[in-house]
Amino acid sequence: MKTALVTGASSGFGLLAAVELARQGYVVFGTMRTPTNRLALDKACHAARVKVEVLPLDVTRQQSIDACVEAVRRRAGRLDVLVNNAGIAIGGYFEDQSDGEIREQFETNVHGLMAMTRAALPLMREQRSGRIVNVSSIGGRVGTPGLAPYCATKFAVEGFSESLHHELSCDGIDVTLVEPGTFPTDIFFGNRRTAEAATRHDGPRRARFVAGERAMYDDMQKRNPDPKIVGETIARAASEEHPALRYPVGADAQAATWAMRLLPARLWHFLVGSRFNVKPEPVSFPLPSGPSGERAG
Ligand SMILES: NC(=O)c1ccc[n+]([C@@H]2O[C@H](COP(=O)([O-])OP(=O)(O)OC[C@H]3O[C@@H](n4cnc5c(N)ncnc54)[C@H](OP(=O)(O)O)[C@@H]3O)[C@@H](O)[C@H]2O)c1
């Protein structure tokens, strides 16, 4: 029986991937920071008639990581698939994101993912096999206004995973990337976060951020993509005999991947900017004073 460990399985892609892997016959450990939040996972497991074992895990705490991987070793004796899915996003233009907010995104999305990988590798090396599926984003290929630090974390995940893929490919351990476009999961609703400073002023930067966010929500609502396909793609990346390095998933991610390949770079960047209603000219500094220190309109 193959064993899989999925981080961030309390909601969204992690929950869907855990259930899909269990449906495909894996012994699945689904992790979450607060195991009492397991109701949604339990309901999904009940509906699919599968079992996922829940383990506590905070990917930003080394003690928690060690205890989690040790629990998998004790209970299953092996780890075939690690799905590094846990992640957070904080919206807001760069200048409105505090150092703490940026660090928190890097701690979770990059350092947490690396720490989980480091903890899982000894088990995989003992087995001389394993698969690491890193959940990146199309935001790891395309910079999006209003999400600069988040995109920076995902660009980091892309570079790390591509390098690790080469480092481990001779040792029977595969590293793959799943790159979802925009899907309606809790990251946009219950877990949605906006940089504190971005909520405190009312200048042109905030207006652009709000307009860009609205365009993204409108587009998502219009397309209404089913996050289930991301869970299925994660399971495919985990089990395909010869996995691809990258799995873009969702119509928007596929379109962006092709457009980047086919369009001249200047045209592509112009299209990304206009999609989010971002005026090409930068905000000028120093800013004349207003109630918030920003130029109005
Ligand atoms: N939805 C999208 O459109 C989209 C697009 C591209 C990429 N992604 C990526 O997909 C992944 C999953 O996101 P989602 O959309 O499914 O959002 P979600 O429903 O908010 O799920 C995020 C998960 O990460 C977990 N998490 C957050 N911080 C954690 C920490 N410190 N330690 C352990 N777990 C932590 C949360 O668990 P608890 O809070 O319960 O602990 C939650 O289960 C993320 O990496 C995200 O960047 C999402």
Side-chain angles (χ1 to χ4, degrees):
M1 290 272 259
K2 288 200 167 188
T3 299
L5 170 60
V6 182
T7 70
S10 62
S11 60
F13 302 152
L15 181 156
L16 294 163
V19 172
E20 181 58 24
L21 285 163
R23 220 183 48 77
Q24 293 187 13
Y26 284 81
V27 171
V28 181
F29 294 93
T31 72
M32 53 193 74
R33 280 178 291 188
T34 318
T36 44
N37 290 345
R38 58 182 294 165
L39 190 66
L41 177 63
D42 285 344
K43 271 190 180 166
C45 285
H46 183 72
R49 295 165 192 255
V50 295
K51 199 177 145 230
V52 169
E53 195 162 336
V54 172
L55 291 175
L57 172 68
D58 182 337
V59 299
T60 64
R61 290 183 49 236
Q62 190 60 48
Q63 250 185 345
S64 171
I65 290 172
D66 293 340
C68 174
V69 174
E70 185 48 34
V72 173
R73 182 193 283 277
R74 253 188 293 109
R75 291 184 207 182
R78 58 183 297 114
L79 179 58
D80 299 284
V81 176
L82 167 65
V83 180
N84 278 316
N85 162 78
I88 58 167
I90 302 180
Y93 269 37
F94 170 67
E95 290 150 284
D96 288 327
Q97 299 231 5
S98 70
D99 193 47
E101 285 165 334
I102 294 170
R103 281 179 195 279
E104 194 184 339
Q105 292 172 81
F106 271 88
E107 282 300 324
T108 309
N109 301 0
V110 182
H111 295 287
L113 176 146
M114 287 187 187
M116 276 308 295
T117 302
R118 191 187 289 287
L121 276 173
L123 257 172
M124 293 184 174
R125 283 207 175 279
E126 277 168 31
Q127 300 158 194
R128 293 171 194 274
S129 69
R131 178 92 36 107
I132 298 164
V133 181
N134 288 336
V135 179
S136 171
S137 166
I138 194 60
R141 312 286 303 284
V142 183
T144 307
L147 282 172
Y150 172 77
C151 288
T153 68
K154 295 299 184 180
F155 270 70
V157 167
E158 293 274 331
F160 169 66
S161 306
E162 192 170 313
S163 306
L164 197 67
H165 161 82
H166 294 303
E167 287 184 11
L168 298 177
S169 62
C170 300
D171 301 317
I173 300 168
D174 301 304
V175 180
T176 79
L177 283 154
V178 172
E179 299 165 332
T182 314
F183 285 83
T185 64
D186 277 6
I187 209 164
F188 291 113
F189 301 99
N191 293 335
R192 178 179 169 206
R193 289 179 63 186
T194 302
E196 217 227 302
T199 63
R200 271 196 276 112
H201 67 84
D202 205 11
R205 199 163 66 220
R206 176 167 158 76
R208 288 180 182 188
F209 167 63
V210 171
E213 220 188 19
R214 194 175 305 130
M216 190 173 66
Y217 274 79
D218 286 351
D219 175 63
M220 189 163 67
Q221 208 170 22
K222 227 185 296 161
R223 288 184 299 108
N224 196 20
D226 187 350
K228 213 170 154 213
I229 63 163
V230 181
E232 288 164 0
T233 306
I234 292 172
R236 196 172 123 221
S239 52
E240 242 172 13
E241 195 180 342
H242 300 293
L245 174 58
R246 291 188 164 84
Y247 291 83
V249 43
D252 52 346
Q254 304 267 4
T257 305
W258 278 106
M260 268 188 292
R261 274 186 209 150
L262 300 174
L263 296 179
R266 269 171 187 257
L267 176 57
W268 168 241
H269 292 307
F270 171 77
L271 289 175
V272 173
S274 26
R275 178 174 173 241
F276 290 94
N277 287 343
V278 176
K279 289 185 194 144
E281 74 271 13
V283 179
S284 55
F285 288 91
L287 295 162
S289 57
S292 58
E294 262 203 316
R295 192 169 40 191

